[in-house]
Amino acid sequence: MASENGTDLSQDDTGTIEENPEETILSQQTSVNLVPFIGQRFVSQDAAYEFYCSFAKQCGFSIRRHRTRGKDGVGRGVTRRDFTCHRGGFPQMKPSDDGKMQRNRKSSRCGCQAYMRIVKRVDFDVPEWHVTGFSNVHNHELLKLNEVRLLPAYCSITPDDKTRICMFAKAGMSVRQMLRLMELEKGVKLGCLPFTEIDVRNLLQSFRNVNRDYDAIDLIAMCKKMKDKNPNFQYDFKMDGHNRLEHIAWSYASSVQLYEAFGDALVFDTSHRLDSYDMLFGIWVGLDNHGMACFFGCVLLRDENMQSFSWSLKTFLGFMNGKAPQTLLTDQNIWLKEAVAVEMPETKHAVYIWHILAKLSDSLPTFLGSSYDDWKAEFYRLYNLELEEDFEEEWSKMVNKYGLHEYKHITSLYALRTFWALPFLRHYFFAGLLSPCQSEAINAFIQRILSAQSQLDRFVERVAEIVEFNDRAATKQKMQRKLQKICLKTGSPIESHAATVLTPYAFGKLQEELLMAPQYASLLVDEGCFQVKHHTETDGGCKVIWIPCQEHISCSCRQFEFSGILCRHVLRVLSTDNCFQIPDQYLPIRWRNVTSASTNPLRTTTRDRSEKIQLLESMASALVSESLETEERLDVACEQVAMVLNHVKDLPRPIHGMDDIAYACPSHSLILPEVEDTDGIVQSITVGNSHESFTLGKLKERRPRDGVDVSRKRRHCSEPCCRHFGHDASSCPIMGSDTLNAELLGYL
């Protein structure tokens, strides 16, 4: 199958290419350890790209990212990625906006077939990228080492070098002085830096295009303006000794309200920077009761040290009325670790395991060789153990078995075990944040926030727009879930009771455990003490304590303490003991489907008009799908809709026309584009999709097509029972009839 630019990559996901050694061109300087091979594993796409990039540089060419299978944030996300030679494919002539062809520019592309393909696979609930295709056959001459460094792909400036260049510029050094000093620091020959004088000048020009001082003033003014509009908007900043912005943090009114309910488990991501302003960007994110990412606040820090992190944490707690989270997940940073210990002493601090293991993926496979797969399986077995004592004992055995006593990364990993190993974290509530799927969802949300980079004052507005859009999308998706039928799979009274209390997300997690519970045997070993183990196991199992008079139950696996969802072992004991409802204290309010006035969309007076319109669309979609099941449902729905519609029409109208409001609905997700049927009548079809996914982007405005005036289209009646022209829904003769009945509403 040929791609759009002419590169032929027809191998399937698991295919390989047999290479002729005589046809494969490799530089003599290429290390054997750098040659990609089928079955090679990487922790991420970026790691694979960096590895192949290093290999390509040694060989004398550069690479580029080619096509993918899947899309970030949709379904399983990206599942396949191809990297190709920079000369792969052929140049294509593209027409410009005025219809003329672009001028014939010279191109280096010559249809080179060299490539590497990686495919995403999940082992032990952790995604990895495997090399499934590789070819190093080129149809062009490869460059020498002193030539390949001049390719644009290798003329890159690292963040550390950017910082030093910025510092040199402040000291008044010339560009040539900067380059010579950095050559001496790095110990390279004259003119052998990975970037050129032109690259440095372009970087300095980009810095000069950003007026940081004025932008900082505009940012503070924008925050003050938002505070004046909404007193619940929170922000704080700190100026340095030269009256320049050093730190600033802010949080929106909706975020403060969400934190009251869902601020028990947080992610504080500080792994990104705003390069244009040379500031560290941190963001606080969590999960709501429907398992969706919710924004709590963000911060910009000039420096990355303990004082900066302490200021950010202290400021965030001030926004949230001094309420600290139970648990906090961060990336690995020694200064942040110390700041959390000082500012949040009662909070359990944890580090994502994938952040730590990313440092092992480059060197450990080479160190262990063919034993790497066995070690990885053993490592994840230890990672998921229940007891700390078992972890300590098994870790020593693993180190002895694979000879890792002197391997410094393993020693460092063990020293941090209380921050990443589940046996040490199960005592604390993390709301599912440690699961791979939730971490990917939160990372996708953070990437959306980062895509809003612009001038600082505009950046705050863009973040607000993204948060608002995410809230609207989440509200709509939650309502669609609520309107769906709940599918009971076990017939257990425990299941039916939990379905009425928990949100669909939390109920789905509990239902998974209920489905697995019958596979476990429950044995009474002492009064109120049960041993629960899988029916295939002869020993081991979990210890469950059940005291009915106190409605107290606990399990040694500590899943309830860890996630707030009862485990299969506890559910097995409750079922065996003829308990037909889960005690209230084991259905946490955090996961309940709360219907108070403060959270019910039907009663919220501050709900935005667009959200109400989306809610109405969702309910209408559910009404149609439910009504079509039987004739009786259809008749009742028609009758009730007619009554509601007549009641709405009796309400007073505003002075201005309602047509603009009706057509200003921001949601186009439930309304398909107008189509023309065989009779030439324009129709609008409304559909519902309970599994709709939401992506960041502007909602497209309806534009005139084929010279048809939009205002004329609005005079087309949108009532499905009419569809005639010359009037609209408000003046429809059929809908305005006093004899409205089910026959006239037969469109349902």
Side-chain angles (χ1 to χ4, degrees):
M1 180 174 61
S3 65
E4 65 279 0
N5 62 7
T7 302
D8 184 13
L9 300 175
S10 58
Q11 290 74 22
D12 57 20
D13 289 353
T14 58
T16 61
I17 294 181
E18 296 183 4
E19 300 183 56
N20 187 339
E22 297 179 357
E23 297 176 344
T24 303
I25 303 175
L26 289 176
S27 172
Q28 293 181 353
Q29 288 83 3
T30 302
S31 170
V32 176
N33 293 331
L34 281 178
V35 179
F37 58 90
I38 305 300
Q40 190 173 6
R41 298 173 174 85
F42 298 97
V43 70
S44 65
Q45 295 183 61
D46 293 337
Y49 176 82
E50 291 176 4
F51 178 86
Y52 191 34
C53 193
S54 300
F55 168 77
K57 188 174 183 180
Q58 292 288 338
C59 290
F61 66 100
S62 64
I63 64 172
R64 56 186 172 85
R65 291 178 173 87
H66 193 43
R67 59 184 181 178
T68 63
R69 174 177 293 173
K71 186 176 180 182
D72 285 329
V74 178
R76 295 187 301 162
V78 176
T79 58
R80 191 183 77 184
R81 165 76 73 177
D82 290 342
F83 304 111
T84 63
C85 174
H86 73 289
R87 302 193 67 177
F90 298 95
Q92 293 183 345
M93 297 293 292
K94 298 181 180 179
S96 58
D97 295 337
D98 56 3
K100 297 180 181 180
M101 299 301 291
Q102 292 180 345
R103 62 188 176 92
N104 187 18
R105 296 181 179 179
K106 290 184 179 181
S107 173
S108 63
R109 296 194 180 188
C110 59
C112 181
Q113 296 288 318
Y115 83 105
M116 185 179 80
R117 171 173 295 160
I118 56 174
V119 174
K120 183 179 180 181
R121 294 175 182 169
V122 179
D123 295 328
F124 305 100
D125 294 329
V126 176
E128 281 189 340
W129 294 84
H130 293 218
V131 177
T132 60
F134 170 66
S135 171
N136 200 42
V137 181
H138 298 265
N139 63 355
H140 55 89
E141 183 180 356
L142 298 179
L143 302 176
K144 298 178 182 179
L145 283 179
N146 62 340
E147 298 173 335
V148 71
R149 67 182 184 84
L150 299 177
L151 290 173
Y154 301 124
C155 291
S156 59
I157 306 178
T158 65
D160 290 339
D161 288 339
K162 288 181 181 179
T163 302
R164 294 192 63 76
I165 291 172
C166 183
M167 182 180 64
F168 294 156
K170 292 178 180 178
M173 294 176 62
S174 68
V175 173
R176 293 186 179 180
Q177 288 174 333
M178 296 179 193
L179 292 173
R180 186 54 185 151
L181 179 57
M182 298 184 77
E183 288 169 350
L184 294 173
E185 288 178 342
K186 296 178 180 292
V188 299
K189 295 181 180 179
L190 185 67
C192 290
L193 287 172
F195 45 86
T196 64
E197 180 179 340
I198 296 178
D199 298 321
V200 175
R201 293 189 184 279
N202 290 337
L203 176 66
L204 293 175
Q205 185 61 39
S206 68
F207 286 155
R208 294 188 185 102
N209 289 337
V210 177
N211 194 325
R212 298 181 182 178
D213 294 335
Y214 283 114
D215 282 356
I217 294 173
D218 292 340
L219 172 61
I220 297 173
M222 174 56 64
C223 289
K224 185 178 185 304
K225 180 180 177 181
M226 298 183 73
K227 181 73 172 181
D228 294 338
K229 285 184 178 180
N230 189 341
N232 292 323
F233 175 80
Q234 303 284 347
Y235 80 101
D236 194 7
F237 62 93
K238 180 182 178 183
M239 309 297 286
D240 63 12
H242 301 284
N243 202 30
R244 293 181 302 178
L245 180 65
E246 187 172 4
H247 313 309
I248 186 169
W250 68 91
S251 180
Y252 306 101
S254 60
S255 302
V256 177
Q257 295 173 357
L258 283 172
Y259 186 84
E260 284 295 322
F262 310 116
D264 42 15
L266 295 188
V267 172
F268 184 31
D269 189 293
T270 58
S271 57
H272 306 280
R273 297 187 72 89
L274 297 186
D275 289 332
S276 298
Y277 297 90
D278 192 28
M279 299 187 79
L280 183 75
F281 177 70
I283 180 172
W284 288 277
V285 189
L287 284 181
D288 65 9
N289 56 342
H290 289 267
M292 297 181 181
C294 47
F295 173 89
F296 293 134
C298 54
V299 64
L300 290 171
L301 302 173
R302 179 68 64 190
D303 303 311
E304 187 175 358
N305 51 41
M306 181 181 173
Q307 291 75 21
S308 299
F309 287 126
S310 293
W311 182 90
S312 63
L313 294 175
K314 188 182 300 182
T315 303
F316 178 76
L317 291 178
F319 293 165
M320 305 304 169
N321 302 315
K323 178 184 176 182
Q326 298 179 28
T327 53
L328 181 67
L329 273 170
T330 71
D331 51 308
Q332 189 178 2
N333 187 302
I334 185 171
W335 293 304
L336 181 56
K337 175 176 173 289
E338 294 176 359
V340 172
V342 173
E343 303 298 336
M344 298 180 176
E346 302 299 324
T347 297
K348 174 58 182 177
H349 182 201
V351 178
Y352 274 121
I353 181 62
W354 10 98
H355 287 171
I356 298 177
L357 289 184
K359 299 179 180 179
L360 299 177
S361 61
D362 295 332
S363 56
L364 192 57
T366 304
F367 182 83
L368 293 177
S370 59
S371 302
Y372 176 72
D373 287 341
D374 296 335
W375 175 86
K376 186 176 68 172
E378 179 73 8
F379 174 80
Y380 281 110
R381 185 184 69 83
L382 301 187
Y383 173 72
N384 287 287
L385 287 174
E386 296 173 2
L387 301 178
E388 299 173 8
E389 297 80 5
D390 293 342
F391 178 87
E392 298 285 358
E393 181 180 351
E394 296 297 324
W395 183 272
S396 299
K397 293 180 180 178
M398 181 193 71
V399 171
N400 293 331
K401 179 179 179 180
Y402 295 97
L404 299 173
H405 299 86
E406 304 299 327
Y407 195 72
K408 61 179 182 179
H409 294 300
I410 291 295
T411 304
S412 301
L413 193 63
Y414 178 74
L416 292 171
R417 63 192 181 282
T418 58
F419 289 87
W420 59 265
L422 292 186
F424 300 90
L425 300 178
R426 294 187 188 277
H427 303 270
Y428 307 94
F429 178 71
F430 281 92
L433 289 173
L434 285 169
S435 65
C437 61
Q438 289 296 357
S439 64
E440 289 180 4
I442 287 179
N443 185 63
F445 177 72
I446 293 174
Q447 293 301 322
R448 249 182 272 169
I449 297 289
L450 290 171
S451 67
Q453 289 195 34
S454 60
Q455 291 185 340
L456 279 182
D457 58 333
R458 181 59 184 151
F459 179 64
V460 176
E461 285 187 330
R462 286 287 293 129
V463 172
E465 292 170 2
I466 294 172
V467 171
E468 182 182 1
F469 180 86
N470 187 74
D471 290 344
R472 287 202 306 267
T475 300
K476 182 175 179 179
Q477 192 168 353
K478 291 172 190 176
M479 186 52 59
Q480 287 177 339
R481 288 180 179 178
K482 290 179 182 179
L483 294 174
Q484 287 179 355
K485 281 185 176 179
I486 295 179
C487 181
L488 301 180
K489 300 179 180 179
T490 67
S492 166
I494 290 179
E495 182 185 26
S496 58
H497 171 244
T500 63
V501 178
L502 301 177
T503 62
Y505 168 80
F507 175 71
K509 297 294 183 183
L510 181 68
Q511 195 175 52
E512 292 175 5
E513 299 297 319
L514 277 169
L515 291 172
M516 296 299 297
Q519 299 184 19
Y520 288 76
S522 173
L523 304 175
L524 181 64
V525 296
D526 198 355
E527 184 178 357
C529 181
F530 297 81
Q531 184 182 20
V532 182
K533 57 185 177 181
H534 196 267
H535 69 92
T536 60
E537 297 177 349
T538 56
D539 54 4
C542 293
K543 180 180 179 182
V544 177
I545 305 296
W546 169 229
I547 306 176
C549 60
Q550 300 178 7
E551 291 190 336
H552 169 78
I553 192 165
S554 63
C555 180
S556 60
C557 76
R558 297 191 177 277
Q559 177 171 312
F560 178 77
E561 291 85 348
F562 187 60
S563 66
I565 303 295
L566 285 178
C567 63
R568 60 197 66 177
H569 316 111
V570 165
L571 295 172
R572 178 59 177 167
V573 170
L574 292 178
S575 177
T576 304
D577 204 42
N578 298 324
C579 183
F580 301 113
Q581 284 191 2
I582 296 176
D584 284 346
Q585 63 265 34
Y586 298 104
L587 295 172
I589 296 179
R590 200 230 190 272
W591 295 126
R592 292 197 182 193
N593 199 2
V594 183
T595 57
S596 63
S598 60
T599 59
N600 190 342
L602 295 174
R603 299 180 185 176
T604 304
T605 57
T606 60
R607 185 68 58 179
D608 186 80
R609 174 183 292 276
S610 62
E611 295 185 34
K612 294 180 181 179
I613 295 174
Q614 291 176 349
L615 174 60
L616 182 60
E617 288 177 352
S618 301
M619 292 190 294
S621 174
L623 175 65
V624 173
S625 60
E626 292 289 339
S627 302
L628 291 176
E629 293 193 3
T630 65
E631 288 296 327
E632 181 181 1
R633 287 188 173 197
L634 188 61
D635 293 340
V636 172
C638 293
E639 181 180 353
Q640 294 298 322
V641 169
M643 294 172 58
V644 172
L645 189 56
N646 282 330
H647 176 67
V648 172
K649 292 177 64 178
D650 290 338
L651 297 176
R653 294 177 180 272
I655 298 176
H656 56 275
M658 292 295 292
D659 293 341
D660 293 337
I661 297 177
Y663 283 87
C665 173
S667 173
H668 298 284
S669 56
L670 294 176
I671 302 178
L672 296 179
E674 292 182 341
V675 297
E676 186 169 323
D677 64 9
T678 55
D679 297 327
I681 300 177
V682 179
Q683 296 184 353
S684 179
I685 306 172
T686 303
V687 297
N689 183 2
S690 59
H691 300 286
E692 181 179 4
S693 62
F694 299 91
T695 58
L696 182 64
K698 267 192 174 181
L699 297 172
K700 295 183 179 179
E701 297 179 357
R702 183 171 296 179
R703 300 177 180 175
R705 292 180 296 177
D706 302 329
V708 180
D709 188 5
V710 177
S711 61
R712 289 185 59 193
K713 279 194 172 185
R714 291 184 177 176
R715 294 297 294 169
H716 160 235
C717 182
S718 61
E719 298 298 341
C721 61
C722 178
R723 298 290 182 194
H724 291 166
F725 292 88
H727 63 273
D728 53 26
S730 62
S731 57
C732 178
I734 294 180
M735 299 308 293
S737 173
D738 295 334
T739 59
L740 186 66
N741 53 36
E743 292 181 357
L744 292 178
L745 289 174
Y747 68 92
L748 286 174

